[in-house]
């Protein structure tokens, strides 16, 4: 693959220019969750579209619609669709990414202005969006630009879908994918998404599984107004007491879900799966360092990974309606709402999960003998995603990773959810690959988000090598 080596050499020569391109993108504060920044989000999308069109790509700006935030109706940022190359003899790869970012303020604890990319002596490129997801999105652009500079054709036709609302629920994206499945996305052979991270910090990985998430509100309502605890304590059924007792019946302190039947749908472990945990770059010591305290439940790494990847978990997130400010307040809240989620895995059905959770909470509430009113409300029921790492798309990515990094990638699953993965798979009926660029310690969504110079530059090489491998792989 002499052409790939030529591409690699040119990427190395252009390292500083690529970092300046990332600096330019990071400087656009495209925070989708801040109404005041909506213009910047749109500007970031337009910046991307202009760069691709200057390269020769055909782009289509799709307006997802409008959004109402705090009583104000505003336009959603555009979804930028594009195509670079239309050779019918070549395979077509669709790539997805997002150009919006999480909020960030210097006062949050950043070492420097979050929207000014700073290169540290240790190679960290620090700035909001550097790893999530501007670095990977730029990787595809710089890959195509570098091929053109080298006088090389891309070995595949490249289609892309870049959105500006991923950090705020991807509003409108599913409808666009569904509408364009037989339109703009027609002819896609495989999909590649670079919007997740390595398992550790030294060894690259490919991700072939994500957990789903079912989100619930548990509401308990009692008197018509908040009450004085000195007058009414001990004389009324208190909604907060009922809620706390019910939440305690969902999960124990070791993470075991207490809902009867919830584990019955979980796919059995196989010998092949057991072998897949061998040699992974993951340690409790590194995890405890990241956590800033050793609060790990399990005694060995394999069991920890299983509970992150292939077993369901239930987490309690908060209580709405209760007193939460500093100081003391002796109030009995009239209505409280607890919020919790359940991460699902193969072969769990979200509808069955909701049925079991509701049945269990109704049963436990009846045991309390309370006169309050209890409601279980499911607000979201997203399904898990799993793909075989033996699919040719993954084999191409594995070969590319070995070409760039000199090691076979870890094959991982993730505990979180990337809903668009399933949307593409179900609507396009093609294989979807998660090919991360960043490392586990990049701090996406946190202060001092970074991508290492090594990951950024080698990641640009990896994306190009992947396209070359796909071109030579029988799908």
């Amino acid at each position: 693959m002499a052409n790939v080596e030529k591409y690699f050499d040119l990427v190395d020569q252009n390292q500083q220019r690529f970092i300046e391109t990332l600096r330019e993108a990071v400087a656009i504060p495209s925070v989708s969750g801040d109404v005041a920044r909506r213009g910047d989000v749109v500007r970031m999308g337009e910046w991307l579209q202009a760069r691709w069109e200057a390269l020769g790509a055909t782009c289509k700006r799709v307006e997802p619609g409008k959004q109402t935030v705090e009583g104000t109706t505003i336009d959603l940022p555009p979804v930028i669709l594009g195509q670079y190359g239309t050779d019918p003899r070549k395979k077509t790869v669709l790539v997805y990414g997002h150009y919006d970012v999480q909020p960030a303020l210097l006062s949050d604890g950043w070492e420097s202005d979050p929207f000014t990319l700073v290169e540290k002596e240790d190679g960290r490129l620090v700035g909001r969006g550097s790893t999530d997801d501007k670095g990977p999105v730029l990787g595809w652009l710089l890959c195509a630009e570098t091929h053109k500079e080298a006088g090389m054709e891309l070995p595949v036709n490249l289609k892309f879908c870049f959105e500006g609302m991923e950090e705020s629920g991807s509003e409108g994206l599913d409808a666009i994918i569904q509408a364009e499945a037989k339109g703009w996305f027609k002819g896609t052979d495989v999909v590649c998404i670079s919007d997740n991270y390595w398992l550790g910090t030294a060894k690259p990985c490919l991700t072939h599984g994500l957990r789903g998430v079912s989100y619930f509100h548990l509401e308990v309502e009692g008197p018509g107004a908040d009450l004085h605890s000195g007058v009414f304590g001990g004389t009324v059924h208190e909604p907060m007491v009922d809620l706390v007792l019910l939440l305690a019946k969902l999960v124990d302190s070791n993470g075991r879900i207490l809902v009867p039947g919830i584990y019955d749908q979980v796919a059995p472990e196989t010998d092949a799966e057991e072998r897949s945990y061998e040699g992974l770059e993951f340690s409790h010591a590194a995890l405890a360092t990241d956590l800033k305290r050793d609060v790990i439940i399990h005694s060995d790494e394999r069991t920890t990974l299983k509970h992150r990847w292939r077993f369901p978990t239930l987490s309690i997130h908060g209580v709405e309606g209760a007193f939460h400010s500093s100081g003391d307040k002796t109030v009995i809240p009239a209505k409280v709402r607890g919020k919790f989620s359940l991460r699902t895995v193969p072969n769990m059905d979200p509808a069955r999960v909701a049925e079991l959770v509701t049945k269990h909470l109704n049963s436990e509430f009846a045991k309390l003998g309370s006169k309050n009113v209890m409601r279980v409300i499911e607000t979201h029921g997203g399904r898990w995603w799993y793909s075989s790492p033996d699919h040719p798309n993954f084999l191409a990515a594995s070969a590319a990773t070995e070409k760039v990094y000199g090691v076979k990638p870890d094959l991982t699953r993730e505990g979180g959810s990337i809903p668009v993965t399933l949307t593409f798979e179900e609507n396009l009926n093609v294989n979807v690959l998660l090919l991360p660029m960043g490392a586990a310690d990049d701090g996406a969504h946190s202060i001092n988000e970074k991508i290492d110079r090594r990951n950024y530059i080698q990641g640009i090489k990896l994306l190009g090598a992947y396209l070359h491998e796909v071109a030579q792989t029988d799908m």
Side-chain angles (χ1 to χ4, degrees), residues 395-453:
L395 297 180
S398 181
T401 302
E402 196 164 0
K403 182 74 174 176
V404 173
Y405 288 99
V407 295
K408 289 186 179 299
D410 283 341
L411 298 176
T412 69
R413 293 156 71 171
E414 285 205 2
S417 306
I418 305 177
V420 72
T421 307
L422 197 59
T423 306
F424 277 125
E425 184 177 86
E426 290 180 341
N427 286 277
L428 274 60
N429 295 312
V430 297
N431 182 265
V432 181
L433 160 77
L434 297 185
L435 181 62
M437 178 183 283
D441 64 347
D442 279 358
H445 294 205
S446 186
I447 60 171
N448 303 316
E449 176 186 346
K450 61 84 177 173
I451 189 168
D452 293 328
R453 182 187 184 112

Side-chain angles (χ1 to χ4, degrees), residues 52-90:
W52 275 103
E53 288 179 340
L55 186 60
T58 300
C59 292
K60 177 180 178 180
R61 172 174 169 155
V62 182
E63 306 294 342
K66 295 186 179 294
Q67 173 191 29
T68 300
V69 182
E70 297 175 356
T72 302
T73 300
I74 55 176
D75 291 328
L76 290 166
V79 173
I80 307 301
L81 305 181
Q83 176 146 0
Y84 187 64
T86 57
D87 189 337
R89 297 168 298 176
K90 294 179 180 179

Side-chain angles (χ1 to χ4, degrees), residues 113-379:
D113 174 17
F115 296 105
T116 300
L117 189 74
V118 176
E119 183 171 7
K120 302 292 187 177
E121 290 184 1
D122 58 5
R124 288 180 297 140
L125 303 173
V126 178
R128 176 58 89 217
S130 54
T131 194
D132 184 22
D133 186 36
K134 290 183 177 179
V137 166
L138 291 182
W140 295 113
L141 171 67
L142 297 171
C143 167
E145 289 182 347
T146 302
H147 274 80
K148 186 173 184 178
E149 183 182 346
M152 301 163 53
E153 281 191 12
L154 271 188
V156 300
N157 301 314
L158 194 65
K159 294 189 178 188
F160 52 85
C161 175
F162 299 137
E163 68 157 321
M165 281 293 286
E166 193 274 345
E167 301 292 5
S168 300
S170 292
E171 285 195 47
L173 181 64
D174 278 5
I176 291 172
I177 294 173
Q178 291 161 8
E180 295 290 353
K182 292 180 171 58
W184 195 270
F185 300 137
K186 184 179 180 180
T188 296
D189 292 298
V190 291
V191 176
C192 182
I193 297 173
S194 187
D195 187 24
N196 66 310
Y197 310 94
W198 294 357
L199 183 58
T201 60
K203 191 178 179 185
C205 73
L206 309 179
T207 303
H208 63 97
L210 299 165
R211 292 195 294 187
V213 60
S214 293
Y215 205 102
F216 298 91
H217 292 186
L218 174 58
E219 184 178 274
V220 182
E221 183 174 6
D226 292 351
L227 302 176
H228 189 300
S229 65
V231 177
F232 293 100
T235 64
V236 300
H237 290 287
E238 298 189 18
M240 178 65 95
V241 173
D242 288 354
L243 178 63
V244 170
L245 291 171
L246 290 173
L247 291 175
K249 295 296 184 179
L250 291 172
V251 62
D252 69 19
S253 60
N254 287 316
R256 177 85 183 166
I257 301 173
L258 303 177
V259 178
I262 207 71
Y263 291 99
D264 293 350
Q265 296 182 83
V266 176
E269 298 177 70
T270 65
D271 292 340
E273 182 187 338
E274 278 295 319
R275 291 192 296 272
S276 73
Y277 293 99
E278 297 171 3
L280 295 179
E281 189 212 350
F282 179 76
S283 72
H284 274 177
L287 179 58
T289 298
D290 288 343
L291 294 170
K292 306 296 189 292
R293 180 173 293 167
D294 186 355
V295 290
I296 302 166
I297 293 174
H298 308 288
S299 60
D300 64 275
E301 283 85 351
R302 181 174 298 217
T303 304
T304 294
L305 285 177
K306 287 181 179 181
H307 283 84
R308 179 186 289 188
W309 294 349
R310 66 104 55 230
F311 289 127
T313 55
L314 192 151
S315 298
I316 297 170
H317 304 298
V319 175
E320 180 183 336
F323 174 62
H324 59 82
S325 301
S326 59
D328 305 325
K329 186 177 181 182
T330 56
V331 66
I332 297 173
K335 182 170 73 173
V336 287
R337 179 176 286 202
K339 299 181 180 183
F340 65 94
S341 69
L342 200 153
R343 297 283 176 172
T344 56
V345 298
N347 295 311
M348 298 174 75
D349 173 27
R352 178 61 175 160
V353 168
E355 179 186 338
L356 291 171
V357 167
T358 302
K359 179 181 178 181
H360 175 62
L361 287 170
N362 282 332
S363 174
E364 292 299 326
F365 183 68
K367 295 176 186 177
L368 299 180
S370 173
K371 293 181 179 178
N372 292 322
V373 177
M374 187 272 289
R375 304 179 190 89
V376 181
I377 305 153
E378 183 189 23
T379 60

Side-chain angles (χ1 to χ4, degrees), residues 33-44:
D34 184 347
V35 174
R37 294 290 194 189
R38 183 54 53 89
D40 292 314
V41 184
V42 174
R43 182 159 61 96
M44 185 68 230

